[in-house]
Amino acid sequence: MKVTVIDYGLSNLLSVRHAFAHFGAETLLTSDPADVLAAEKLVLPGVGAFKDGMDGLARLGLIEPIRQKAAAGTPLLGICLGMQMLFDESEEFGLHKGLGLIPGRVVKIPDTDVDGHPQKVPHISWDPLYPGGGRTDFSGTALAALKPGEECYFIHSYEAKPVRDEDRLADTVYGGREICAAASHGSVLGCQFHPEKSGEVGLRIIEEFLKTAAEK
């Protein structure tokens, strides 16, 4: 089993590759558009600013290959910044266009909680995942191996706001507000948290992604 991991200069590549290797998956680390177009499964990791990430993809000629693969139904997992870039646009340091694979926008996490008290941004903590989009559990989704309330590791200052409620797979709560923790549209899955740094819970998500990808 081979997973193509996209390297555009802003990625936590080592931990991602180790997580997939845990299940015997071979990872191809690449910046080559031809490799992306030939991929059976794609991972778009990332840390840093939205604009820098999109500029890196554009500089390497990776934007259209990623869009083509998503349109063709190739399984694609976006992690942290990689998830945010799946959306239409972000307000981080100005308004910047994303990949447009999940309808919605990325906005800053408020500096105050629902009671008006200051809260730390970035949001850095282990927090529970709850079913989103009106779901009562994670069955039938990419998070099917999880139970509501299991925790994953978050570190981010911006949050995604999907347009379609059905694209919202999981939420977490920070400062009394729901934050989209995972979103999916077609064959595209985004995790705002880091599954590769979330212990056994994160590994179950990666395993489920590999299972789903293998069925395609």
Side-chain angles (χ1 to χ4, degrees), residues 188-209:
V188 176
L189 168 66
C191 295
Q192 181 59 73
F193 54 90
H194 285 272
E196 79 286 1
K197 296 182 179 180
S198 295
E200 187 268 339
V201 174
L203 288 176
R204 273 188 271 139
I205 295 170
I206 289 172
E207 184 178 25
E208 194 69 19
F209 172 74

Side-chain angles (χ1 to χ4, degrees), residues 4-9 28-36 56-57 59-62:
T4 300
V5 180
I6 300 171
D7 178 11
Y8 56 99
L28 172 63
L29 181 63
T30 186
S31 302
D32 189 338
D35 288 335
V36 172
L57 294 180
R59 183 177 63 255
L60 295 165
L62 294 169

Side-chain angles (χ1 to χ4, degrees), residues 84 91 106-113 119-124 154-161 174-175 177 179 192:
Q84 294 180 4
E91 298 178 354
V106 176
V107 303
K108 192 176 187 302
I109 297 173
D111 294 324
T112 57
D113 63 20
Q119 67 178 5
K120 292 182 179 179
V121 179
H123 165 215
I124 306 175
F154 291 81
I155 175 167
H156 62 121
S157 299
Y158 286 74
E159 58 173 313
K161 299 278 192 180
Y174 187 59
R177 296 184 182 89
I179 287 178
Q192 181 59 73

Side-chain angles (χ1 to χ4, degrees), residues 71-94:
T74 300
L76 167 60
L77 170 62
I79 298 173
C80 198
L81 173 61
M83 168 184 168
Q84 294 180 4
M85 292 192 298
L86 300 175
F87 284 80
D88 293 323
E89 59 188 15
S90 172
E91 298 178 354
E92 186 175 8
F93 302 124

Side-chain angles (χ1 to χ4, degrees), residues 2-215:
K2 181 178 286 187
V3 177
T4 300
V5 180
I6 300 171
D7 178 11
Y8 56 99
L10 292 175
S11 305
N12 46 313
L13 300 172
L14 186 60
S15 57
V16 169
R17 297 182 80 180
H18 281 170
F20 280 92
H22 181 83
F23 298 103
E26 177 187 356
T27 54
L28 172 63
L29 181 63
T30 186
S31 302
D32 189 338
D35 288 335
V36 172
L37 288 171
E40 296 179 0
K41 311 162 193 68
L42 284 168
V43 177
L44 180 63
V47 291
F50 189 98
K51 180 181 185 299
D52 293 339
M54 289 303 300
D55 285 350
L57 294 180
R59 183 177 63 255
L60 295 165
L62 294 169
I63 291 178
E64 286 310 314
I66 293 171
R67 286 174 173 163
Q68 288 179 37
K69 294 299 284 185
T74 300
L76 167 60
L77 170 62
I79 298 173
C80 198
L81 173 61
M83 168 184 168
Q84 294 180 4
M85 292 192 298
L86 300 175
F87 284 80
D88 293 323
E89 59 188 15
S90 172
E91 298 178 354
E92 186 175 8
F93 302 124
L95 191 62
H96 305 286
K97 294 296 183 183
L99 291 166
L101 303 179
I102 302 178
R105 170 178 279 204
V106 176
V107 303
K108 192 176 187 302
I109 297 173
D111 294 324
T112 57
D113 63 20
V114 291
D115 295 320
H117 300 135
Q119 67 178 5
K120 292 182 179 179
V121 179
H123 165 215
I124 306 175
S125 62
W126 287 77
D127 282 313
L129 304 183
Y130 302 107
R135 298 173 180 82
T136 57
D137 57 33
F138 294 122
S139 61
T141 77
L143 306 183
L146 273 61
K147 296 178 181 177
E150 294 194 273
E151 294 185 346
C152 287
Y153 177 68
F154 291 81
I155 175 167
H156 62 121
S157 299
Y158 286 74
E159 58 173 313
K161 299 278 192 180
V163 169
R164 293 160 30 109
D165 207 35
E166 56 265 42
D167 290 342
R168 194 173 184 126
L169 294 191
D171 294 324
T172 194
V173 177
Y174 187 59
R177 296 184 182 89
E178 290 183 342
I179 287 178
C180 181
S184 180
H185 189 83
S187 63
V188 176
L189 168 66
C191 295
Q192 181 59 73
F193 54 90
H194 285 272
E196 79 286 1
K197 296 182 179 180
S198 295
E200 187 268 339
V201 174
L203 288 176
R204 273 188 271 139
I205 295 170
I206 289 172
E207 184 178 25
E208 194 69 19
F209 172 74
L210 289 171
K211 286 179 181 178
T212 304
E215 294 169 359

